[in-house]
Amino acid sequence: MDLCNFFFITKPPFLNLNTRSVKCSAETTSHRLKLADSLQDETLKILEWPSICNQVSAFTSTTMARDALLPIGRTPEESRRLLDQTSAAFALHLPPDFSGIEDVSNLLQSAMSGQLLSIREICAVKRTLRSARDLYQQLNKISLQSERYYPLLEILQNCNFLTELDHKIDFCIDSKFSIILDRASEDLEIIRSERKTNMDHLDSLLKDISTKIFQAGGIDKPLVTKRRSRMCVGIKASHKSLLPNGVVLNVSSSGATYFMEPKDAVDLNNMEVKLLNAERVEEQAILGLLTSEIAQSGSEIKYLLDRVLEVDFAVARAAHARWMNGVCPFISSGGVKNGSLSINIEGIQHPLLLETSLKSLSSKSSNSVMWCEGNGVMGQPLTFPVPIDIKVEHETRVVVISGPNTGGKTASMKTLGVASIMLKAGMFLPARNHSILPWFDFILADIGDSQSLEQSLSTFSGHLSRICKMLEVTTKQSLILIDEIGSGTDPSEGVALSTSILEYLKDRVNLAVTTTHYADLSLLKEKDSQYENAAMEFSLKTLQPTYRILWGSTGESNALSIARSIGFDEKIVERAETWVKRLMPDKAEKRRGLLYQSLMEEKNRLEVQANRATHIYSNAMDLYNEIKDEANDLTRREAALKAKEAQRIQKEVITVKSQLETIVKEFDANITNASIDQLNALLKESETAISSVIEAHSYTEESSATEADGSSLSVKLGDQVIVRGLGNKLATIVEPPVTDGTGLVQYGKIRVRVNVSNMRAVQSSDTPPTPSSQSQIKKQGQRIRSLKNLSEVKNSEEVSYGPAVQTSKNTVDLRGMRVEEASHHLKLAINTTGAGSVLFIIHGMGTGVVKESALQILKKHPRVLKFEQESPTNYGCTVAYIK
């Protein structure tokens, strides 16, 4: 109390309160940020974010990116920038080249701490600087082609590539051989020059002395070597007197050879040692100078490495997106209308579960190979893991997921959490279409067992402790994931506590998702529209979960069904069902069962309708394509007939002209020697010949002789008629004309109703010719006789058949039919097949009854020229050649 009074006396009250308030506020904020970071790190581990980073690291190109975690955007703008970088890298035809870039972070730390870098370490810094500059030039060249690549170039836009330092290292050091060049300093150049001169004198002196020793028999061959860093010669122990005052530097292991330094070489060796030491000192000075330059530029090199790492991560994220067929997500905005979705993800699959269905990461040899090959299932969605849809409206703040154990509730919730983190990190999502998610500042999860013996926490108290911490740091932009909320205690108290926690979160977070087996939590939606229910689908037929989410539904635990499928004693299960009936109100149980049954029946009915619609659509398209092909074929045949007729007429004109010229020449030849009386006879003979030629080539087609009167046409079922609307094609009557004068005809697979006036009968070959037809035949005979000198015209022409190629149009399948039905279909197919065509009859082997009947029909039918087996190995198909 005295202390408080003293405190208030020494300082004004209002100043004291403000100071204490600011101090407490700062401490609270600091504590809250530390707690949030700690919970966020734990959530990343719970959601297995490091494993996803390992997936992406397999696509990185630099060593410094292998063990680093992917950066996560701390603001929506930063996450959008990361997504833009990934999209730009995804659009590249090939990834950029990162070769030569090394992780020199430790080297920079050593240089900045005063340690001397070696030649190889300095060369590593130089290679990294040069490769980073080459990378920037690659991106700059690519960005000139399109602005969509600019986000990658922007990463390195303001970097200092330290070109001057690169040139300085290149001037002083030969990176290829890792040596310091003479030009590095004047003193080094002088020292090396003097050393070279001294070594030349020393080498020359020792070679002369060694040669004299050899000639004196003191050594088997001249030997100049180095011992104890001094140049010397080899000499036999028995002849060491040849080098008076020489210094013995070493002796061979056998003691037979001495290595001696001649007296005259002592000064030169001393000079060599002195110059060598001076050279080393100068080289150390040069390395020290370069190390100092690197240390001074350490912060800029570190910044450059961070930017190169950012580019590498962007390219790796794009390669990862190609590998898993990812799509670019969009960040949903806050200003939207009611009823729209804040989360709209279709067919998303968890990346870690998806990995087992995709190509193995270890099988890839390089990033460029991954880029080119991508995923072999592009466009073919994988069935494992089961894709799920996540759709949450903007007004929804709490989602309650219910359903059976092992039904996928926790996996679905984890998938949402991972997708939210991937969005913040600028990654594409393994989903269909373009997904929409909000940007969450904190993604906090309570999943798994929070039991701690060290802190004396049970499973229930461990969960409560973590949830309490999560409630302390949540904001209006947070995502909260709670697995099995309120479990591990008395159900009534667990429901009450869970309801209170969700009510608290509803007004303080962007979205809270929880899984539960408490049916009461699913009833909260009836009282508040900010709640949403979701259920994991469970098949009562297979007693297995389907792992699909049914939004707006309430799921059952199906514990008894699962227990029965596992193999529990039936008495235990039946007794449990009895207890369930006692504990659960009858009305609720009946209503829930009927609702689920009606939903499943509706689902099945819609699936049947969808399949039927698909079948009808497929048949309609087949018929449309067949009619289209027939129409195209009619146009082609019409053009071919016109061309053939024009060619025939042209040949007849040439023939007539030739005949007339022959007649004229004969007349000119006979008129020169003819008398006056013979002249008239010759003239009449020539006129008669010319008239005969003209009469032979002047004929008309009388429609009355070939066509029956449409109004008086009488047809019955199975008759064949020529239909004008089908291009004068031969069709078969399948339904005789009715009172309105129309009948149903079939041409191939096409059935159409045609008016009788558009039909004409086909005359059979045994009908006696009419007088008009006899006249035409007579004229035709005269025409043929007048043209008998043309070799290409014959009385009987052989039909030319094309290659026997089997199609759906020239094939009749009799398998599975009775003899009468097969005979009817075969005759109908022969009658509707065009002249000069090939017909494939598939009768199969079987008992041979259908085949025998088909062969008898082919033998007797007047339109069949011949028939044969399709191939020596196929006895189930016969090929018929139609006249």
Side-chain angles (χ1 to χ4, degrees), residues 847-867:
T847 61
V849 177
V850 175
K851 177 180 179 181
E852 189 65 29
S853 174
L855 295 180
Q856 291 297 328
I857 293 174
L858 294 177
K859 289 178 182 178
K860 297 179 181 180
H861 203 287
R863 294 201 65 205
V864 178
L865 179 65
K866 61 177 181 178
F867 59 90

Side-chain angles (χ1 to χ4, degrees), residues 186-212:
E186 294 182 3
D187 292 343
L188 181 62
E189 186 174 8
I190 293 172
I191 291 172
R192 287 183 175 176
S193 177
E194 292 179 355
R195 185 185 171 197
K196 183 177 182 302
T197 302
N198 183 70
M199 280 299 297
D200 290 342
H201 292 326
L202 180 58
D203 187 59
S204 176
L205 173 64
L206 294 178
K207 283 181 179 180
D208 290 342
I209 294 174
S210 181
T211 302
K212 291 178 181 179

Side-chain angles (χ1 to χ4, degrees), residues 205-461:
L205 173 64
L206 294 178
K207 283 181 179 180
D208 290 342
I209 294 174
S210 181
T211 302
K212 291 178 181 179
I213 293 173
F214 169 71
Q215 293 173 353
I219 194 72
D220 294 335
K221 62 179 180 179
L223 176 61
V224 178
T225 183
K226 179 182 284 189
R227 290 293 186 274
R228 295 165 59 182
S229 301
R230 298 179 73 86
M231 299 300 295
C232 58
V233 296
I235 188 171
K236 292 180 179 179
S238 58
H239 292 71
K240 69 175 184 177
S241 59
L242 295 175
L243 293 177
N245 299 325
V247 180
V248 178
L249 298 178
N250 202 352
V251 181
S252 65
S253 58
S254 63
T257 304
Y258 281 29
F259 299 98
M260 299 183 65
E261 180 182 5
K263 180 181 178 182
D264 296 337
V266 173
D267 292 338
L268 293 175
N269 264 326
N270 292 338
M271 180 59 68
E272 167 63 17
V273 173
K274 178 181 178 182
L275 292 175
L276 179 61
N277 292 333
E279 181 182 5
R280 290 176 178 172
V281 171
E282 187 61 25
E283 287 178 350
Q284 294 293 317
I286 294 170
L287 293 177
L289 179 62
L290 294 177
T291 301
S292 176
E293 293 278 350
I294 293 174
Q296 292 177 6
S297 306
S299 59
E300 293 178 320
I301 298 176
K302 282 185 176 181
Y303 179 79
L304 177 61
L305 290 178
D306 291 340
R307 301 288 74 76
V308 171
L309 180 63
E310 190 173 348
V311 176
D312 192 9
F313 274 140
V315 176
R317 292 194 301 268
H320 183 264
R322 286 176 175 267
W323 173 69
M324 65 176 183
N325 294 337
V327 296
C328 181
F330 294 101
I331 299 176
S332 60
S333 58
V336 290
K337 297 181 180 179
N338 292 339
S340 58
L341 299 175
S342 65
I343 300 179
N344 186 9
I345 309 175
E346 294 184 5
I348 188 170
Q349 297 167 295
H350 197 289
L352 298 181
L353 298 177
L354 186 63
E355 183 175 353
T356 58
S357 299
L358 297 175
K359 295 180 179 179
S360 175
L361 287 173
S362 58
S363 65
K364 302 297 185 178
S365 57
S366 65
N367 199 353
S368 59
V369 174
M370 298 178 191
W371 203 275
C372 295
E373 290 187 1
N375 176 20
V377 292
M378 187 77 70
Q380 301 291 332
L382 297 171
T383 57
F384 179 82
V386 176
I388 62 173
D389 298 337
I390 303 177
K391 298 178 181 293
V392 180
E393 296 183 355
H394 272 279
E395 296 78 17
T396 302
R397 291 294 173 263
V398 178
V399 174
V400 178
I401 304 177
S402 56
N405 292 312
T406 69
K409 300 189 300 296
T410 304
S412 301
M413 188 168 59
K414 279 188 173 182
T415 302
L416 173 60
V418 167
S420 302
I421 299 175
M422 292 175 70
L423 170 74
K424 295 182 67 176
M427 295 178 63
F428 284 17
L429 302 183
R432 295 192 296 267
N433 304 327
H434 291 287
S435 306
I436 300 176
L437 291 101
W439 188 90
F440 300 109
D441 58 354
F442 293 129
I443 301 170
L444 306 177
D446 176 40
I447 301 173
D449 191 358
S450 300
Q451 185 185 60
S452 175
L453 297 178
E454 181 180 356
Q455 300 179 14
S456 299
L457 292 176
S458 66
T459 300
F460 178 73
S461 58

